[in-house]
Amino acid sequence: MRIALFATCIVDAMYPRTARATVSILERLGHEVVFPSGQACCGQMHVNSGYFPEAVPVVRNHVEAFDPAGYDVAVAPSASCVGSVKHQHPMIARSCGDTALEAQAEAVGAKTYELSELLTDVLGITNAAEQLGSWFPHKVTYHPSCHGMRLLRLGDRQLNLLSSVGGIEMADLPEADQCCGFGGTFSMKNADVSSAMLADKTANITSTGASLCSGGDASCLLHIGGGLSREGASATTLHFAEILASTKDNPVSVTGEILVSGKATR
């Protein structure tokens, strides 16, 4: 298949290795990955903050960058951004009365998948160790993001893929379905509430004894990782794509570094 990568803002700016891991996984399966150069922000922050008119040109840019004629499917390693593309973009187009933009947004959204959704539902990956060669000999707990659970309804797709990685030890996270407190601009507008929610999340992660907490949204992992770091916790965070991309020949450490010949590289 010809697969268009939607990298997302935070992955592009903060976690480019997550994008590289996504490409590595898909190319390992024999697919061609392309990167539409016109892509930018999906506009989720604008929409969540109520700036609908300001979101219109952002949505228009996305649907033009991801013209469905140029690829078979599009993928992003982010449930929240895919949720925005699938659900918010058509809504924004309707809000400004642009029926043509709404139709374009619906077409792009229909071909856009979150990574675990694409791997499981489209590409038939059910065993990461056998089908991807994934190997990650560490104790891991898993945080399902709110948008993945409640907007995309991913269910256990990410968790099932992680659990099938060779050498991994999965630890159940208490109150896993509770929000980490990030919520985009929520963490800035409601800092005290956000911090209290984060404290609950990091305490539950620490209680598992896991080396790291994995998940499918870099934004949540950034928030959680920051909390763990400030507390001096030994655990850290890592996107599930990087765990799936790790193999015995090219292992990834708990900090996301690729270990080659005993040396860590980014």
Side-chain angles (χ1 to χ4, degrees):
M1 298 177 71
R2 183 177 171 87
I3 301 174
L5 174 65
F6 172 32
T8 79
C9 295
I10 195 166
V11 168
D12 180 57
M14 302 293 292
Y15 298 102
R17 63 178 188 255
T18 298
R20 289 197 293 267
T22 300
V23 173
S24 174
I25 292 165
L26 297 174
E27 289 184 341
R28 194 179 302 169
L29 292 169
H31 303 288
E32 177 190 6
V33 181
V34 296
F35 186 84
S37 60
Q39 64 180 282
C41 178
C42 67
Q44 179 184 171
M45 290 188 294
H46 305 64
V47 180
N48 290 352
S49 297
Y51 293 100
F52 284 18
E54 291 81 358
V56 173
V58 183
V59 171
R60 182 170 286 111
N61 178 78
H62 187 86
V63 300
E64 290 175 356
F66 284 86
D67 180 350
Y71 56 88
D72 296 307
V73 294
V75 65
S78 167
S80 60
C81 295
V82 171
S84 179
V85 169
K86 283 183 168 295
H87 299 279
Q88 292 182 340
H89 284 194
M91 177 188 71
I92 290 301
R94 286 193 297 272
S95 75
C96 70
D98 192 330
T99 55
L101 180 61
E102 181 182 358
Q104 287 178 294
E106 292 280 7
V108 172
K111 296 182 73 171
T112 304
Y113 294 83
E114 180 274 334
L115 179 58
S116 72
E117 186 181 32
L118 176 68
L119 290 173
T120 302
D121 298 0
V122 179
L123 304 182
I125 304 301
T126 57
N127 190 308
E130 293 183 2
Q131 295 171 283
L132 296 175
S134 306
W135 184 78
F136 193 76
H138 303 283
K139 187 175 183 179
V140 177
T141 193
Y142 165 74
H143 165 71
S145 70
C146 294
H147 284 96
M149 284 191 296
R150 300 181 176 94
L151 190 58
L152 290 187
R153 301 186 184 280
L154 293 177
D156 292 330
R157 288 176 177 85
Q158 294 177 357
L159 178 59
N160 289 340
L161 286 170
L162 280 171
S163 299
S164 68
V165 170
I168 202 167
E169 178 186 353
M170 295 299 300
D172 291 336
L173 179 64
E175 299 180 325
D177 63 345
Q178 300 302 301
C179 179
C180 70
F182 179 65
T185 56
F186 172 84
S187 62
M188 292 179 281
K189 293 178 179 179
N190 302 276
D192 291 342
V193 177
S194 173
S195 295
M197 297 169 73
L198 175 60
D200 288 343
K201 182 62 65 174
T202 55
N204 284 329
I205 291 169
T206 300
S207 74
T208 67
S211 302
L212 63 82
C213 175
S214 188
D217 272 284
S219 54
C220 298
L221 296 176
L222 176 69
H223 186 57
I224 294 170
L228 290 169
S229 177
R230 289 189 295 274
E231 293 170 3
S234 59
T236 184
T237 58
L238 192 66
H239 196 284
F240 84 93
E242 297 180 61
I243 294 177
L244 295 186
S246 179
T247 65
K248 286 186 176 181
D249 291 334
N250 291 289
V252 172
S253 73
V254 293
T255 58
E257 296 170 317
I258 302 172
L259 304 176
V260 181
S261 300
K263 297 180 180 180
T265 66
R266 292 286 179 178

